[in-house]
Amino acid sequence: GNSVTQMEGPVTLSEEAFLTINCTYTATGYPSLFWYVQYPGEGLQLLLKATKADDKGSNKGFEATYRKETTSFHLEKGSVQVSDSAVYFCALSDRDNQGGKLIFGQGTELSVKP
Amino acid sequence: ETGVTQSPTHLIKTRGQQVTLRCSSQSGHNTVSWYQQALGQGPQFIFQYYREEENGRGNFPPRFSGLQFPNYSSELNVNALELDDSALYLCASSPSGDRASETQYFGPGTRLLVL
C-alpha cells in the first residue's frame, strides 16, 4: 500500500542553520505531495505542495522538489529561525475522482535554538 | 473568509460512552475529511464526506461514523469509546473533493481523552 517515511526527530538546530528533513514515499500512480506544519497545540497548516514530477513547491523560505526517480520530497530551508520550531509532516494524496485522502508520515519535530 | 472550525476544543469521556465531534467547513468547500492523530504520530484518515455521502473510509471500525449536512458541516460520532480512542481529532475541508492535488485545510482539532 501507499506510505510515507520521514527522518526521525527531534532535529535540533541553531538559528540560521540549514535545514533538511528527508521524506520518501511509496505509491502507485502519480501522487500529489505535501508538507504540513503543526505548531504546538494547533492543527495542521499547509506549508507547500507539488503535484507532478520535478515540480518545486516553495513557501516562507521552505522548498521541496518532487523527485519521481528517487520517490522523494525532501524539505529544505537555507536559514532557520526560532519561529520555525514545530512538527513537520510529509504527506501524499493519490485518489483522483474520489477525493484525496492524505497519507502522512510520522512527523519530524524541529527545535531551533537562538 | 472563515476557516475550518471544530467544537469542542477539549473533551473528557469514560470508556463505553459515546461522543460527537463537530466541524464547520471553510466557506465554499463541499468536502470534509476526518483524521485521528495519536500523540506523537501522524494523522490517520478516518473517512471523507462529499456532498453528504461517504466518499472513502480508512481502517477504522464501524463504531466510528459520520454525517455531513446540507451546509457541508460535519459530525464524527464514536460509540463504545475505548482508551485507545484518546487522540486529537482533526477535520479538514477542501473545495470539491475530486482532485488528489487539492489542498485540504485543517481545523484546530478536538482533543479527546478517554478515561
Side-chain angles (χ1 to χ4, degrees), chain B residues 4 7-8 11 13 26 43 46 54 59 66 72-73 94 106:
Chain B
V4 178
S7 62
L11 204 52
K13 292 285 187 178
Q26 187 164 315
I46 303 175
E54 189 178 286
N59 189 27
Y72 304 130
S73 65
S94 51
F106 284 81

Side-chain angles (χ1 to χ4, degrees), chain A residues 32 34 36 38 41-46 49 51 89 93-107, chain B residues 33 35 37 40-43 45 48 55-58 88 90 97-109:
Chain A
S32 293
F34 303 81
Y36 280 85
Q38 187 173 36
E42 297 185 11
L44 276 69
Q45 300 176 25
L46 177 72
K49 72 178 186 183
T51 59
F89 292 94
S93 176
D94 69 349
R95 293 173 58 201
D96 266 340
N97 299 319
Q98 291 186 49
K101 80 173 186 179
L102 289 169
I103 297 170
F104 287 89
Q106 72 272 30
Chain B
S33 303
Y35 295 82
Q37 186 181 16
Q41 303 294 317
F45 176 74
Q48 183 181 85
N55 185 39
R57 187 179 181 93
L88 181 67
L90 295 164
D98 65 354
R99 290 285 185 271
S101 59
E102 272 190 352
T103 297
Q104 294 188 24
Y105 296 86
F106 284 81

Side-chain angles (χ1 to χ4, degrees), chain B residues 3-109:
Chain B
V4 178
T5 60
Q6 293 186 242
S7 62
T9 55
H10 295 82
L11 204 52
I12 300 174
K13 292 285 187 178
T14 55
R15 242 180 341 174
Q17 284 189 311
Q18 178 266 343
V19 69
T20 297
L21 310 181
R22 295 180 175 83
C23 170
S24 291
S25 60
Q26 187 164 315
S27 177
H29 290 187
N30 60 22
T31 301
V32 171
S33 303
W34 286 92
Y35 295 82
Q36 181 195 65
Q37 186 181 16
L39 199 61
Q41 303 294 317
Q44 299 289 317
F45 176 74
I46 303 175
F47 43 57
Q48 183 181 85
Y49 280 84
Y50 171 65
R51 293 187 174 179
E52 303 179 59
E53 297 286 331
E54 189 178 286
N55 185 39
R57 187 179 181 93
N59 189 27
F60 280 81
R63 59 190 185 84
F64 285 78
S65 63
L67 282 175
Q68 188 179 32
F69 300 99
N71 66 354
Y72 304 130
S73 65
S74 177
E75 286 183 355
L76 164 65
N77 299 290
V78 187
N79 293 322
L81 283 167
E82 300 177 359
L83 297 180
D84 284 350
D85 295 334
S86 295
L88 181 67
Y89 288 85
L90 295 164
C91 167
S93 74
S94 51
S96 65
D98 65 354
R99 290 285 185 271
S101 59
E102 272 190 352
T103 297
Q104 294 188 24
Y105 296 86
F106 284 81

